[in-house]
Amino acid sequence: MRHPDCSADGAAVQPSSGFGAGWAGTLLQIATTRDLVLTMVLAVVFYAFYYPLPYRQQATLSVPVIVVDEENTPATRALAQALGDTREVAVAGTVADYASAVQAVKQRQADGIVLLPAGLTRALAAGEAGAGVGVWVNGAYLTRASAIGTAIKGVVLDAVRRQAGPLTDQIHRQAPAELVVRPLFNPVEGYASYVYPAVSLLILQQTLLFGSAMLIATRRRAGRLACTPGYFLGTLSALVCVGTGAAAFFFGWAFWAEDMPRTLQLGHLAWMVPLYAATVASLGMAIGSYMPAPERAMMWLAPTSIVLFFMTGAAWPLDQMPRLTAWLAQLSPATAGVQAFVPINQMGASPADVARWLTLLAALCAVYGAWASWRLCSGRRALPPSGHIDSTSIAR
């Protein structure tokens, strides 16, 4: 059985055309291949609006809680009412004992419990150590638990200041300086505004990476893997055009439609985006040259998406990761992309501010480009060691 990279006489197939044929042929192949259109075009449009959909409300809203009012005085009843007036909390009911509240949570009538213990007003007035409000929420949702805790803290302090009157001076003595946090780059403090710009870089990477690998794997299966340097550059340029178009759609229209923070520094993006696309496309072409069939791109690369997101440094700072993990994370173009594009796109930074990450991106582009060209332009070195054809590589 002949190898898929070889012609009928066993020789590696060499395209006879150069850059222009590679560029036009690649775009034509993408436009006429259903799986490539789905992966490199429609998936970009789909994820641009599907991903931010669950976070559209931006902040924690109306989490139902049960208030346990053991004191049952006008002051604690006012506290419970004030809790219900916040955007984060909705009071689903008020009970007198903790056991009843636990039973309500078990019956899914509420997601959390707020305990106003007996003697709360007196304890706050006396400044007793440990006096305060108890909160029990599902800790699996860190953002929600943090928002509820912040809301309850604000309500308790405001209520005590308004109703305790003479105790205000004592509270001020306990907190002589008030900390006011004013976000500069995400003024609404929305979760979508925080996570979506970072995830968009990973979406752009994965769709272009999958598509590039599928394209090269398709050529490999058809016996057209080996090519001339001109044809290779034409192919890479066409993939960069597709990746640049996808990025323009995300950073322009999708960010505008989703009302994401954006600075639109078009002069910087005009060269940063093609650099990012070239890095990703080169990596995809190199990986695709090892795949016996385009279907393997999804099988091999799809499981990496979640891991790569957590390694971008968006969810957890890179300098807080173990050294080896942080080093491996920088092999993914999305890591440098997130660290460079988010400050440029959302914070008004300049390329000099993210020079380290742009340098890393350029280095990755050179390495992955050399790897891909070696695999595709070095003739028979691109061929696998045996003539085995995988069962999934049968041409359709």
Side-chain angles (χ1 to χ4, degrees):
M1 183 176 295
R2 75 179 176 87
H3 192 275
D5 296 325
C6 301
S7 60
D9 59 359
V13 176
Q14 295 285 345
S16 57
S17 45
F19 180 89
W23 186 81
T26 299
L27 292 181
L28 180 62
Q29 184 177 355
I30 293 173
T32 57
T33 305
R34 182 195 59 184
D35 291 346
L36 292 179
V37 172
L38 289 174
T39 303
M40 305 179 78
V41 181
L42 295 183
V44 172
V45 177
F46 174 75
Y47 280 113
F49 299 102
Y50 170 76
Y51 187 83
L53 192 60
Y55 316 119
R56 183 155 290 176
Q57 67 182 26
Q58 294 275 13
T60 301
L61 296 178
S62 304
V63 177
V65 298
I66 294 291
V67 175
V68 181
D69 189 355
E70 293 182 342
E71 184 174 299
N72 195 24
T73 62
T76 56
R77 288 195 291 271
L79 276 175
Q81 182 177 357
L83 278 175
D85 292 337
T86 66
R87 71 176 185 181
E88 293 87 356
V89 173
V91 177
T94 302
V95 297
D97 60 279
Y98 181 74
S100 300
V102 172
Q103 187 64 27
V105 171
K106 289 182 177 179
Q107 295 174 353
R108 299 186 181 278
Q109 298 175 10
D111 288 344
I113 299 172
V114 177
L115 172 64
L116 307 178
L120 173 65
T121 305
R122 177 185 55 79
L124 291 176
E128 295 179 1
V133 177
V135 180
W136 288 263
V137 295
N138 188 346
Y141 302 101
L142 296 179
T143 302
R144 188 175 68 170
S146 176
I148 294 174
T150 302
I152 291 174
K153 177 182 176 182
V155 166
V156 171
L157 288 177
D158 288 344
V160 170
R161 284 169 180 164
R162 281 187 286 102
Q163 299 183 19
L167 302 178
T168 303
D169 293 341
Q170 182 175 349
I171 293 173
H172 285 171
R173 284 198 297 272
Q174 295 175 355
E178 185 176 3
L179 178 63
V180 178
V181 178
R182 299 189 185 281
L184 295 177
F185 305 117
N186 183 8
V188 300
E189 297 184 77
Y191 184 75
S193 299
Y194 146 68
V195 73
Y196 182 53
V199 170
S200 66
L201 271 300
L202 185 65
I203 293 174
L204 291 171
Q205 169 178 294
Q206 296 301 83
T207 52
L208 184 58
L209 185 72
F210 293 175
S212 302
M214 293 169 65
L215 178 111
I216 298 302
T218 301
R219 291 181 179 178
R220 183 177 189 270
R221 187 173 62 180
R224 299 190 300 114
L225 177 63
C227 63
T228 63
Y231 196 88
F232 167 80
L233 291 176
T235 300
L236 178 60
S237 298
L239 292 173
V240 169
C241 290
V242 174
T244 301
F249 171 77
F250 249 97
F251 299 158
W253 202 77
F255 277 15
W256 171 79
E258 296 296 333
D259 196 23
M260 292 293 113
R262 55 197 179 278
T263 60
L264 289 180
Q265 301 189 68
L266 298 181
H268 300 323
L269 295 178
W271 61 270
M272 290 174 57
V273 168
L275 174 62
Y276 183 67
T279 307
V280 175
S282 298
L283 179 60
M285 293 172 70
I287 295 175
S289 68
Y290 294 93
M291 296 178 177
E295 294 82 1
R296 291 302 177 93
M298 288 295 179
M299 296 171 61
W300 291 11
L301 300 175
T304 65
S305 298
I306 297 297
V307 176
L308 291 179
F309 171 71
F310 285 107
M311 295 177 75
T312 60
W316 187 255
L318 284 170
D319 59 4
Q320 300 299 311
M321 295 181 185
R323 184 169 299 178
L324 177 60
T325 303
W327 185 85
L328 291 174
Q330 297 180 46
L331 297 179
S332 168
T335 299
V338 169
Q339 300 298 329
F341 278 86
V342 172
I344 294 286
N345 261 342
Q346 274 68 50
M347 302 178 183
S350 68
D353 296 325
V354 293
R356 172 196 170 191
W357 299 106
L358 293 174
T359 302
L360 173 61
L361 204 57
L364 291 177
C365 184
V367 172
Y368 294 151
W371 181 19
S373 65
W374 177 76
R375 287 289 300 168
L376 273 64
C377 302
S378 59
R380 298 191 63 84
R381 280 191 295 175
L383 302 180
S386 71
H388 171 71
I389 296 181
D390 191 88
S391 59
T392 60
S393 66
I394 300 173
R396 289 175 293 179

